[in-house]
Amino acid sequence: MNLISKNVVLALLSVPVLISSSDAFAAKCLYISSYHKGYEWSDGIERGLLPELEGKCEFKQFDMDTKRNDSEESKKEAALQAKKLIESFQPDVVIVSDDNAVKYLVEPYYKDSFLPFVFCGVNWSGEKYGLPYKNVTGMVEVALISAQINLVKTVLPEAKKVFYLDSDNETGQKNVIYYKKYFEEKSYQFTSQLVKTFDEWKSGFITGQEYDVVVLTNNSGIKEWNNDEAKKFALVNTKKYSLTENDWMMPYTLIGMTKVPEEQGMWSGKTAVSILSGADPGKIKIVENIKSNIFINKALKEKLNLSLPVSLVNTAKIVE
């Protein structure tokens, strides 16, 4: 075989290797967040998601920003922008976080389509959006209410009246239904208030001190919110036991039994990689989050002079 023939053979032998290498890095992943960077929940999902996808696919992200721009028109327009990006980028799998991305993008445009989706952060159940679809799987976000109730029973066995304070938005409106159901099933008297402004929140906070337990779920979307003022206000006006499911509410709350957003992101990333490897999303079971963190607000604990279980104190992260 002459030198030219040898070079031709070697070149032909190298072609499958080059194609295989190209295919390995040709996968495209698109992540669509319902909210915006700087929102603690979304940032936590990203911290869990991005390392799982690194080196596995070409990655792009689109933030719908529907927490700050919460009109129906804004949500629908953001969904159309996301749809245009899908059409131009042509991803192999799309990861979406939180309800609005599913409600305004996945359900109307991609239900049972050929394009696989992985969702996370959808509150409580996907039934409202007709889930499951044959091309969609995900992790539903649930508050660990039963664990919170058990904690209340341990710390305040005589407690009977619960006051729930939350943002007046789609998430808050859904959450309050489940909190009411769980607490009333355990024979607690449950009262709730959903608010849109910081002044309304402060008024609700004062009202809550007339009850045995105050549940401070979220401040997201509350207009004119001021972190420093809220922290001082809570320290001055807290008289009763309070708890939350979100760690960013800890400056204003005694105890947090909080969800872990990184869990949602990690699961979504691993599932997306499985789909890129050939897994059928319609055959991947929709799951619920299970992880939690325990926090104690040191200043509020000292003010209330509460005696908390040693097991709780030893496992909790102290918020200074």
Side-chain angles (χ1 to χ4, degrees):
M1 184 180 292
N2 61 35
L3 182 60
I4 294 176
S5 299
K6 287 182 178 180
N7 287 339
V8 171
V9 172
L10 289 172
L12 289 173
L13 288 174
S14 71
V15 170
V17 177
L18 290 172
I19 291 174
S20 177
S21 176
S22 175
D23 285 348
F25 294 94
K28 295 180 179 180
C29 302
L30 177 62
Y31 171 51
I32 298 174
S33 168
S34 292
Y35 306 136
H36 58 278
K37 290 185 183 298
Y39 178 44
E40 289 92 337
W41 177 257
S42 298
D43 291 349
I45 289 177
E46 288 179 34
R47 286 193 297 272
L49 173 67
L50 298 184
E52 298 298 331
L53 299 179
E54 187 175 359
K56 309 289 191 348
C57 57
E58 182 184 348
F59 178 82
K60 282 192 178 182
Q61 177 171 339
F62 178 79
D63 299 315
M64 293 176 65
D65 201 5
T66 60
K67 184 71 72 172
R68 297 182 297 191
N69 302 295
D70 60 354
S71 69
E72 282 295 301
E73 182 180 355
S74 295
K75 293 172 183 175
K76 290 178 180 179
E77 177 58 31
L80 286 175
Q81 292 180 28
K83 182 173 180 288
K84 289 179 181 178
L85 179 57
I86 290 173
E87 292 168 353
S88 62
F89 184 52
Q90 296 188 339
D92 296 285
V93 62
V94 182
I95 303 103
V96 298
S97 64
D98 297 287
D99 284 68
N100 287 340
V102 174
K103 178 179 180 180
Y104 293 96
L105 175 68
V106 183
E107 181 183 16
Y109 299 118
Y110 295 100
K111 179 178 180 179
D112 293 326
S113 76
F114 69 93
L115 182 61
F117 281 78
V118 179
F119 71 80
C120 65
V122 170
N123 290 285
W124 294 105
S125 170
E127 292 181 3
K128 183 177 181 180
Y129 312 119
L131 288 164
Y133 314 149
K134 67 181 183 181
N135 63 318
V136 178
T137 187
M139 175 176 277
V140 172
E141 176 193 338
V142 298
L144 306 175
I145 303 178
S146 294
Q148 293 178 22
I149 291 173
N150 289 336
L151 185 60
V152 172
K153 288 182 176 295
T154 300
V155 179
L156 292 173
E158 304 301 319
K160 296 296 181 184
K161 299 190 299 180
V162 175
F163 185 81
Y164 179 93
L165 183 61
D166 201 350
S167 309
D168 188 4
N169 54 31
E170 188 167 354
T171 300
Q173 291 160 13
K174 186 183 286 189
N175 279 344
V176 70
I177 294 171
Y178 286 90
Y179 268 91
K180 178 179 174 65
K181 174 180 180 292
Y182 276 76
F183 271 98
E184 289 188 344
E185 283 178 351
K186 298 299 182 180
S187 301
Y188 287 94
Q189 299 173 34
F190 186 90
T191 303
S192 62
Q193 183 175 345
L194 302 181
V195 301
K196 291 184 177 296
T197 69
F198 188 32
D199 284 342
E200 290 176 351
W201 184 86
K202 289 189 287 186
S203 176
F205 191 98
I206 295 296
T207 300
Q209 308 312 308
E210 301 171 8
Y211 293 74
D212 299 317
V213 179
V214 184
V215 180
L216 302 171
T217 307
N218 206 345
N219 62 355
S220 179
I222 295 179
K223 299 184 185 336
E224 296 96 38
W225 181 269
N226 184 300
N227 287 330
D228 291 336
E229 185 178 344
K231 183 177 178 180
K232 294 174 183 176
F233 183 87
L235 185 59
V236 170
N237 293 286
T238 293
K239 299 177 181 177
K240 298 293 178 66
Y241 177 100
S242 59
L243 69 153
T244 186
E245 64 177 66
N246 291 312
D247 56 7
W248 60 86
M249 294 299 292
M250 281 311 303
Y252 334 110
T253 314
L254 174 64
I255 294 181
M257 183 168 285
T258 70
K259 298 168 291 188
V260 181
E262 289 84 356
E263 176 188 12
Q264 303 260 337
M266 289 177 65
W267 187 92
S268 298
K270 290 180 185 295
T271 303
V273 171
S274 295
I275 291 171
L276 291 177
S277 299
D280 182 349
K283 295 181 179 178
I284 300 174
K285 183 180 178 182
I286 293 175
V287 299
E288 296 180 353
N289 57 288
I290 57 174
K291 293 183 179 180
S292 67
N293 287 323
I294 305 295
F295 295 92
I296 295 175
N297 185 311
K298 181 179 178 182
L300 293 180
K301 178 181 179 296
E302 291 176 350
K303 177 183 178 180
L304 296 174
N305 195 28
L306 280 178
S307 177
L308 298 176
V310 174
S311 59
L312 175 67
V313 175
N314 287 343
T315 57
K317 300 178 182 179
I318 305 300
V319 177
E320 297 289 344

